Amino acid sequence: MNKRELYEFKSKCILMVSVILILVSVVLTSNSVISIENFELTTINIKEMATASVALKTGEVTDKKKKLIEVTDTEVAKEEKKETEVRNLSATTRTWYLPTEYGTISQYPSYYHVAYDITSPRGSNEVVYPVAAGVISSIYTDNAGALIVTVRHNIDGLVFTSQYVHLSRYADIYVGQEVTPFTPLGWMGTTGWSTGVHLHLALMDCNLFGGTDMCSDLGGWINYQKIKYQQGFTGLGNAMDVPYQWYSR
């Protein structure tokens, strides 16, 4: 090989090496991500990002890796906080609940029966809960032998009373007890004047067994229900959407 041929061979080798280096550089720079650091764009190699947590544990942390970890953790924390706030907002703004976990409406309110009759496939194993937070105002048995609980509710300064009739047995409750929508009152039953296991649920915007309003006793309660029904108030259906059938509260 003469000098000229040797020179051309070296030139080609140098050119090939240069091309290879350029290609390697392109590949490496394509494996980078953009992050925010001091309000400026900077690139962090994907390999560094993937091993950032390991580096943090082993103590081999560069400022760049540490910043990436902090940014990632902050974003995750923000998303978790947002989800928590949405759940809490839903929980704190909801006032009214269905009285049972499982239920089917067997009779709707009418002039002579201003209440919802509710059945359940669980029968007497279905737990009955308050439709809203409140205070137990009475626990009694009527003349026909029905086990009954009433709960007084104060909703935004307005007083309501909910009545739960035909219970098979009471839960461990007492008059004056503060309850939430998740406090068991008793179990669905057929005590008293009843044709089968069900819950008779009445709700009125008055103070049964308390105060001096026109429904403070049972006679006044029944008369007040008829008056309110004529005015379009049927009970729980005026406070929330009561479906025909449900499998959760």
Side-chain angles (χ1 to χ4, degrees):
M1 181 180 295
N2 56 37
K3 291 183 178 181
R4 180 179 181 81
E5 290 175 340
L6 182 60
Y7 175 80
E8 290 178 351
F9 176 76
K10 289 182 178 180
S11 299
K12 289 181 181 180
C13 289
I14 293 173
L15 179 62
M16 289 178 63
V17 170
S18 299
V19 171
I20 292 173
L21 289 175
I22 292 173
L23 290 175
V24 170
S25 176
V26 170
V27 171
L28 289 177
T29 55
S30 66
N31 287 334
S32 61
V33 296
I34 298 177
S35 178
I36 298 177
E37 184 174 4
N38 298 325
F39 303 97
E40 296 178 357
L41 292 180
T42 184
T43 58
I44 300 175
N45 191 276
I46 288 178
K47 184 177 180 181
E48 291 182 352
M49 182 178 66
T51 59
S53 296
V54 175
L56 181 64
K57 294 178 181 179
T58 58
E60 298 176 358
V61 184
T62 63
D63 290 339
K64 187 181 294 185
K65 289 180 181 179
K66 184 176 180 181
K67 191 65 179 180
L68 177 61
I69 294 169
E70 290 174 352
V71 170
T72 304
D73 289 346
T74 300
E75 293 303 317
V76 171
K78 285 181 180 179
E79 289 300 320
E80 291 178 348
K81 181 179 179 182
K82 186 184 298 184
E83 292 178 2
T84 302
E85 288 175 347
V86 170
R87 288 196 299 269
N88 290 341
L89 178 64
S90 176
T92 56
T93 57
R94 185 177 177 187
T95 300
W96 300 98
Y97 288 77
L98 294 166
T100 58
E101 184 177 353
Y102 281 30
T104 301
I105 302 298
S106 59
Q107 185 174 352
Y108 285 90
S110 64
Y111 180 76
Y112 293 102
H113 179 270
V114 191
Y116 289 89
D117 279 352
I118 300 167
T119 62
S120 168
R122 294 171 173 171
S124 58
N125 291 319
E126 186 69 53
V127 180
V128 175
Y129 299 93
V131 293
V135 176
I136 295 178
S137 54
S138 72
I139 303 171
Y140 69 99
T141 303
D142 68 7
N143 294 332
L147 302 185
I148 304 172
V149 176
T150 62
V151 179
R152 183 180 301 117
H153 314 277
N154 191 319
I155 310 297
D156 297 328
L158 299 177
V159 176
F160 295 85
T161 297
S162 55
Q163 183 188 51
Y164 311 82
V165 186
H166 304 305
L167 301 179
S168 60
R169 63 190 189 278
Y170 299 118
D172 185 15
I173 55 176
Y174 58 89
V175 175
Q177 176 182 350
E178 293 186 0
V179 295
T180 74
F182 306 99
T183 304
L185 300 176
W187 284 262
M188 189 179 289
T190 186
T191 57
W193 187 19
S194 171
T195 57
V197 176
H198 73 285
L199 171 66
H200 172 103
L201 171 67
L203 174 71
M204 284 289 125
D205 57 343
C206 64
N207 193 356
L208 178 59
F209 300 126
T212 57
D213 60 21
M214 62 186 301
C215 80
S216 58
D217 56 43
L218 286 174
W221 166 265
I222 294 173
N223 291 331
Y224 185 75
Q225 284 182 314
K226 294 179 180 179
I227 293 172
K228 293 297 292 184
Y229 182 81
Q230 291 177 320
Q231 296 174 353
F233 191 92
T234 60
L236 187 61
N238 289 84
M240 66 175 293
D241 179 25
V242 179
Y244 165 69
Q245 191 172 62
W246 60 88
Y247 299 96
S248 67
R249 301 185 65 210

